[in-house]
Amino acid sequence: MARDLTQLELLEELVPVAEDNVNRHMSMAKEWHPHDYVPWDEGRNFAELGGVDYDPAQSKLSDVAKAAMVTNLLTEDNLPSYHREIAENFSRDGAWGTWVGRWTAEENRHGIVMRDYLVVTRGVDPVALEQARMIHMTNGFASPIGSHSGLLHSVSYVTFQELATRVSHRNTGKVCDDPIADRMLQRIAADENLHMMFYRNICGAALDIAPDQTLEAVSHIVTNFQMPGAGMPNFRRNGVLMAKHGIYDLRQHLEDVVWPVLRKWRIFEREDFTGRGESKREELAVFLEDLERQATKFEEMRDRSLAREAKKLERQAS
């Protein structure tokens, strides 16, 4: 039986792919500036500078939009933890180091522009937002990889995570009912998509180099996936609200995130797995079937719940 490649061997084998994809990313990435996406003329001082502090009545965002914006922003705020995770599993040298730095710089813009927008428009309570940021960043990022660290698990996770974040940002923009917020979140989502493509291509190349070893990492990530915001204040409550209103739910996770990536990698068409890989692929197939059942069950429950709420509103209006 062939031995697994070490972390160093994998990094060295994948250097040409990393170089190609850094160059590809740089040719596709568009320069943009956070200040261009914020309606500064809506801003005014808070009480500390003689103005008026936040009042919930000042916000134009729905409860769903608030929950989604705060969840997405706090996720972006935890960038130092993600940077450390990526830097430790990649390398500081050559194309790997260039990517880590560039990715971190691009990701940093997301938190900047979202916070500026929310503070200027008074979309959410800035004091509560800052308190939640302090808690979330102090706790840091609890990697869902657990003891399964290393390049393959890391790059598998960020492939799915970047795509999931793209979906969440894109749908959050739609529920904000504000063309400025929608445009801003479309811009962020475009970044996330390019980031996903880099990681997806690295992982795809790893599947060619070490099929069984990479599939084990992919399977572990898919079957244990958690959004990076897990653990932040009110994450469960906000996550339920977001799922209920179609911002990010199990169906979207399965059909817009998991399946497109697995199809791109041809996980269920490949013929280069040994018995070890075949076994892992069978486990993955069973998991995905169960996830399909869970998604259908959730949709049925959600439809019933929304129907009850609609009837209640009708009775109140009549």
Side-chain angles (χ1 to χ4, degrees), residues 18 21-22 90 96 99 194-202:
N21 278 275
V22 166
F90 283 17
W96 296 114
W99 173 255
L194 285 181
H195 297 163
M196 178 277 294
M197 290 167 69
F198 177 90
Y199 295 123
R200 187 187 66 190
N201 291 347
I202 296 294

Side-chain angles (χ1 to χ4, degrees), residues 222-274:
V222 171
T223 56
N224 293 278
F225 187 81
Q226 275 189 320
M227 289 293 270
M232 72 174 59
N234 298 316
F235 180 76
R236 184 175 293 277
R237 172 194 167 275
N238 290 347
V240 168
L241 203 55
M242 291 166 72
K244 185 176 179 181
H245 293 274
I247 294 172
Y248 197 85
D249 59 26
L250 265 182
R251 175 67 60 195
Q252 288 160 323
H253 178 67
L254 185 61
E255 295 188 357
D256 298 341
V257 177
V258 175
W259 270 118
V261 172
L262 295 181
R263 289 191 186 105
K264 182 70 176 179
W265 290 334
R266 299 177 56 254
I267 292 296
F268 291 101
E269 289 79 47
R270 302 178 71 99
E271 297 179 354
D272 52 355
F273 297 127
T274 68

